[in-house]
Amino acid sequence: MLPVPKLDDQDYYEILDLAINTVVSHYPAWTDFNDHDPGITMLELFATVKESEQYFIDRISRENRVKYLKLMGIRRRPKQPAKTLVGMKVNEECELMKGHKLDAGGVCFETVTGSYMTTYDVAMCMAMRGDELLDQVTTGQMEFGGQAHFYMFGAKPDKGDACYISFGEQPPFGDPLQFYIRVSEDYPVTRNPLGDFDFASPVGLRWEYYTAQGWTEMEIMSDETCGLLFDGFVTARYEDPIVETTIAGQKAYYIRIVLEEGGYEAPPILEGISINICEAIQKDTLVEYRIFPTDSNTVYMDTELSALGRSEVYLERNGLWYPAEQYEKGMLEVTARVYCTIEDPEFENSDRILVINRDLSFLHRSRIGIGNGFPGQRIELEDAEVMEEPFAVLIGEAEEEDAYRLWERVEDFEGSGPEDRHFVIDSERGELIFGDCIHGMAPEGEILTAAYVRTKGSGGNIRAGKIDRFVTDTATPVMLTNITEGINGMDEETLDESFLRAAQSIRRPDCAVTAADYERYVKNTPGLMIESCKVLDIEELLRSEKQIDDNTVYMVIEPYGYEPGSSINACYEANIRAWMEKFRMVGTSVKFFFPEYIEVEVYAELVVKPQYRNIENRVRETVEEYFERFHGQFGHPVILSRLFGYMDRQEYVFGIRALSMDARGHGTRRTREGDILLPPQGTVVLKSVKTFLTIG
């Protein structure tokens, strides 16, 4: 590590003494060094200046530290809003708009998408194999927080198995159905989160609904569950009315999910399902904008702010936005959408349409300043909760009356030229910063907010049950509450936290080099449940493989739930390969093996103590306990003498007359001492324990 030089290494008196001594050596005639001498006064002045310069030159400014982070490829994490799920019960069917505001004790949440809420919900779910009913769960059990633990395709899903979802009332025709499905994570091995990985689901599901013509396939518009692997929303659309039918003696309106191809490492277990749940995010949108093409003079919006706020319309001509004087705004009666019809005569000459919606309580902050054309302008936002994204401003042009431009937000002005209309948000200081006319243009006109959103960051991580009402009153009686806690709300990262993260990233390799790196990355493959994995030793592998490449990493992978004789889904291996492409070194390839299960039979002839009962079960449990240590290990030899010692230490054993093992599996060898040597990709499975007991 390079030494860090100390630049502020002299105080005032040291600097002054050095200067006086230097004068003596250069000009011996100067002999008066008292304070009244003008020369000494000048030296004292320069000593003060030098000490001050040394102090500041030895300090690293905040701006310098931000630059250092950028050079390392690290950007401070901005404030992140929390998210939660909200369940609703309504007396009349209603449609919520996107951005509908919910109140959680003074903390504002907004719906992420528009949602259609019904007076009914899923009544029952049944797992079917052909005409055989495997399991079923009712409405009360499926309420979130209830006791549902329902295998959707049975405990061992097979191709053709189906999960039937029933409704007591006919679902509305023409509107997509949005299910929220929660699946259990109560498994010994956790499924890895997806992140931004392009995951290919290893299962293929077909959603169908029952019509007058029979079962008809539904169009799946989105599936956040990736085939019921994760919690999430599934949005499905159908073109014909759902009609009643009878399944397993139950008459209802049915939708079914059929397992068409592939398979699961762990069968999906349903913990909750509902069509009256929506996602909410902790933010308060005060200003928003949308840009539309001019293929029609009527534009449509679907947010609550567009319905309840004040709308401003601008028309674009030659890259400039001009306020439209004539337009009509209204609400569609059939769907919860707002329309805006532009009747301005300049519409025909326009390139695009800009609509800005402002909250009525925020109209006084529509204009946040006026640019004066001078470099380095700063505007105090006086708001610690403002989000950097999607903050936007519309700024008047100095040379064109009633003309505006949307300026671009950038991280800094390093890449900005004198003609670039850029601005920077300093959320820590709550400032809007403009360029110095060399790096970034200086505004000279009215500065209007075009997008303004607030969030409380970690303050949005609320308890379940905290949301209890809409911010704005609705005509439809509604009972609502958040069924989950608010999660993932984070405050803005400080510089010290950013540098700590940067230091951790330096210590963590970005590519797989060692065997431990490969094992760690493979085991963390997004979307998969991997029990264990191991990089194989090439010398050991040469015993069973004829051709070995020195530039290839050979790995054995054991998926969770993998059984002897099972086949591996092609998507499973494809996901691992796609994930490892990010980390493998250039010129290095990876080859995967799946476990070779070696079945072992144990024969034991024991002399046991007479006071113990159920000796056969005790012996079997002892052997099983010993073989548990081989779980998740590959190529590990089974040493007979160690098993002998383990058995001999049991309190019920008086003596051991004979003990042996037999093994079956490809690549297995036995030594003359009775030990079992496994192939590198082999793992032990205890098949049976045969005992011959004599009372001692």
Side-chain angles (χ1 to χ4, degrees):
M1 185 174 179
L2 293 176
V4 179
K6 183 177 181 180
L7 303 178
D8 186 17
D9 58 350
Q10 294 175 308
D11 62 18
Y12 167 79
Y13 295 103
E14 291 173 334
I15 297 171
L16 183 59
D17 289 343
L18 180 61
I20 292 174
N21 292 332
T22 303
V23 168
V24 172
S25 62
H26 285 283
Y27 191 64
W30 187 354
T31 58
D32 188 359
F33 301 115
N34 294 309
D35 292 340
H36 66 266
D37 187 89
I40 295 299
T41 303
M42 295 299 294
L43 289 180
E44 290 174 343
L45 173 62
F46 291 137
T48 303
V49 172
K50 187 174 188 296
E51 183 192 36
S52 179
E53 288 179 342
Q54 285 184 174
Y55 173 81
F56 286 105
I57 203 173
D58 199 42
R59 295 295 181 269
I60 299 175
S61 68
R62 176 179 177 274
E63 287 72 17
N64 289 130
R65 299 183 75 197
V66 172
K67 289 288 185 182
Y68 298 154
L69 284 173
K70 186 176 181 181
L71 289 172
M72 298 173 66
I74 302 292
R75 182 182 180 274
R76 291 173 62 193
R77 288 174 179 161
K79 189 179 298 182
Q80 296 290 334
K83 291 185 177 181
T84 186
L85 295 174
V86 178
M88 301 188 187
K89 294 182 179 180
V90 296
N91 295 334
E92 298 177 10
E93 293 181 356
C94 65
E95 188 169 357
L96 299 181
M97 303 182 75
K98 177 182 178 181
H100 208 104
K101 296 187 178 184
L102 314 169
D103 182 67
V107 179
C108 180
F109 280 76
E110 294 181 356
T111 55
V112 175
T113 61
S115 304
Y116 190 85
M117 297 297 159
T118 64
T119 56
Y120 59 92
D121 210 331
V122 174
M124 180 181 292
C125 288
M126 297 185 294
M128 302 284 293
R129 177 166 294 162
D131 295 331
E132 178 188 359
L133 176 64
L134 301 177
D135 195 6
Q136 67 181 23
V137 64
T138 59
T139 305
Q141 295 171 302
M142 287 184 292
E143 290 186 357
F144 290 87
Q147 301 299 318
H149 196 80
F150 168 70
Y151 287 95
M152 300 184 72
F153 302 106
K156 293 186 176 181
D158 199 3
K159 183 178 179 180
D161 293 348
C163 177
Y164 287 75
I165 303 170
S166 70
F167 299 91
E169 300 182 27
Q170 186 179 38
F173 172 63
D175 293 313
L177 277 178
Q178 185 181 63
F179 296 89
Y180 181 77
I181 299 174
R182 178 184 289 174
V183 294
S184 175
E185 298 179 356
D186 188 18
Y187 285 103
V189 177
T190 303
R191 188 177 298 279
N192 296 320
L194 287 181
D196 57 357
F197 179 64
D198 188 13
F199 178 73
S201 179
V203 294
L205 303 178
R206 185 176 71 254
W207 288 65
E208 298 177 330
Y209 63 106
Y210 194 81
T211 69
Q213 291 76 36
W215 290 104
T216 305
E217 187 170 357
M218 304 180 77
E219 177 189 356
I220 301 301
M221 302 170 63
S222 65
D223 181 6
E224 297 178 359
T225 69
C226 294
L228 305 179
L229 299 177
F230 299 92
D231 299 345
F233 289 94
V234 177
T235 304
R237 183 165 56 194
Y238 51 96
E239 298 180 353
D240 299 311
I242 301 178
V243 300
E244 276 189 312
T245 188
T246 301
I247 304 293
Q250 303 288 336
K251 189 175 183 180
Y253 299 89
Y254 283 98
I255 290 172
R256 71 179 181 184
I257 312 168
V258 181
L259 179 57
E260 199 168 30
E261 59 183 3
Y264 293 95
E265 307 109 306
I269 300 175
L270 181 70
E271 289 190 340
I273 183 171
S274 175
I275 60 173
N276 290 322
I277 287 178
C278 62
E279 187 177 18
I281 186 169
Q282 194 284 299
K283 64 179 184 178
D284 187 6
T285 303
L286 300 170
V287 186
E288 65 179 9
Y289 78 90
R290 284 190 62 185
I291 296 177
F292 302 90
T294 54
D295 50 5
S296 171
N297 69 329
T298 300
V299 298
Y300 298 93
M301 297 168 287
D302 58 355
T303 63
E304 185 188 49
L305 190 56
S306 65
L308 302 181
R310 191 184 76 178
S311 299
E312 300 171 1
V313 179
Y314 295 82
L315 301 175
E316 184 185 36
R317 294 193 299 275
N318 300 321
L320 297 174
W321 296 101
Y322 296 87
E325 301 296 336
Q326 301 177 28
Y327 59 90
E328 179 187 357
K329 176 182 172 182
M331 189 86 175
L332 296 178
E333 295 182 1
V334 179
T335 60
R337 289 204 299 169
V338 176
Y339 70 87
C340 196
T341 302
I342 295 93
E343 300 170 348
D344 196 290
E346 295 294 334
F347 173 77
E348 298 297 332
N349 303 321
S350 302
D351 302 320
R352 291 183 298 173
I353 304 167
L354 170 68
V355 180
I356 298 178
N357 302 310
R358 302 183 186 279
D359 192 286
L360 298 180
S361 65
F362 201 67
L363 292 180
H364 67 287
R365 293 294 305 275
S366 298
R367 185 173 72 178
I368 57 175
I370 299 179
N372 54 23
F374 288 100
Q377 296 179 55
R378 293 173 177 260
I379 296 177
E380 294 285 344
L381 295 176
E382 300 176 355
D383 193 344
E385 297 181 358
V386 64
M387 293 178 64
E388 292 184 33
E389 180 68 31
F391 186 90
V393 290
L394 193 69
I395 300 180
E397 287 287 299
E399 300 176 356
E400 186 77 21
E401 187 177 359
D402 290 334
Y404 297 84
R405 286 186 190 270
L406 277 170
W407 285 42
E408 181 184 356
R409 184 181 64 83
V410 293
E411 186 177 343
D412 55 47
F413 295 112
E414 183 177 329
S416 305
E419 299 297 324
D420 291 328
R421 294 172 171 84
H422 293 167
F423 68 91
V424 170
I425 287 284
D426 188 336
S427 54
E428 186 175 354
R429 296 172 177 170
E431 290 182 333
L432 180 63
I433 306 171
F434 294 96
D436 58 3
C437 298
I438 298 174
H439 298 287
M441 182 183 288
E444 191 175 358
E446 191 177 31
I447 303 174
L448 306 177
T449 52
Y452 198 105
V453 181
R454 287 174 173 159
T455 185
K456 294 183 180 296
S458 62
N461 296 330
I462 59 172
R463 302 189 308 272
K466 193 71 174 177
I467 296 177
D468 56 3
R469 68 181 187 91
F470 291 121
V471 173
T472 54
D473 295 331
T474 60
T476 304
V478 178
M479 292 179 59
L480 71 158
T481 188
N482 55 307
I483 61 174
T484 61
E485 296 179 345
I487 59 171
N488 297 332
M490 293 187 295
D491 296 326
E492 184 179 27
E493 192 176 43
T494 65
L495 276 174
D496 289 338
E497 291 170 341
S498 298
F499 273 97
L500 179 61
R501 180 162 57 91
Q504 293 171 344
S505 68
I506 291 174
R507 299 188 187 101
R508 185 172 56 247
D510 292 330
C511 64
V513 179
T514 66
D517 293 338
Y518 278 93
E519 292 169 3
R520 182 178 68 255
Y521 284 127
V522 166
K523 198 161 187 179
N524 291 332
T525 302
L528 301 185
M529 302 170 69
I530 296 179
E531 182 103 20
S532 59
C533 62
K534 180 185 177 183
V535 173
L536 301 178
D537 185 88
I538 290 181
E539 293 184 1
E540 294 182 2
L541 197 61
L542 281 170
R543 298 173 183 173
S544 57
E545 298 290 325
K546 296 181 180 179
Q547 295 183 346
I548 297 295
D549 183 9
D550 291 338
N551 293 323
T552 299
V553 177
Y554 297 90
M555 298 190 66
V556 57
I557 300 172
E558 183 179 18
Y560 177 75
Y562 185 78
E563 297 180 353
S566 301
S567 59
I568 300 297
N569 191 301
C571 280
Y572 196 97
E573 185 173 346
N575 281 316
I576 299 176
R577 290 193 178 279
W579 174 248
M580 289 304 296
E581 277 298 309
K582 300 170 57 177
F583 306 108
R584 70 175 182 86
M585 297 178 65
V586 176
T588 302
S589 59
V590 186
K591 183 176 180 180
F592 299 114
F593 293 94
F594 290 97
E596 181 74 33
Y597 288 95
I598 308 302
E599 295 181 340
V600 175
E601 295 180 342
V602 175
Y603 302 89
E605 187 175 346
L606 308 176
V607 179
V608 296
K609 298 176 181 179
Q611 65 267 34
Y612 291 93
R613 299 181 179 181
N614 299 322
I615 296 297
E616 287 190 4
N617 291 336
R618 283 176 176 263
V619 173
R620 187 177 299 105
E621 290 173 359
T622 299
V623 176
E624 289 174 351
E625 184 179 309
Y626 178 81
F627 274 84
E628 274 294 316
R629 66 184 62 188
F630 299 102
H631 180 73
Q633 297 192 30
F634 302 98
H636 197 287
V638 184
I639 308 299
L640 181 62
S641 60
R642 294 178 182 174
L643 176 61
F644 188 99
Y646 189 78
M647 295 288 296
D648 194 44
R649 289 195 298 271
Q650 303 303 312
E651 59 182 8
Y652 58 83
V653 175
F654 191 80
I656 300 177
R657 290 180 175 175
L659 183 67
S660 63
M661 297 184 297
D662 191 16
R664 298 176 183 176
H666 176 72
T668 307
R669 294 180 297 132
R670 290 189 60 184
T671 66
R672 65 178 63 180
E673 291 82 10
D675 303 335
I676 297 175
L677 305 181
L678 277 63
Q681 67 272 29
T683 186
V684 171
V685 176
L686 181 63
K687 183 181 180 181
S688 64
V689 180
K690 296 182 179 180
T691 58
F692 301 91
L693 306 177
T694 304
I695 303 297

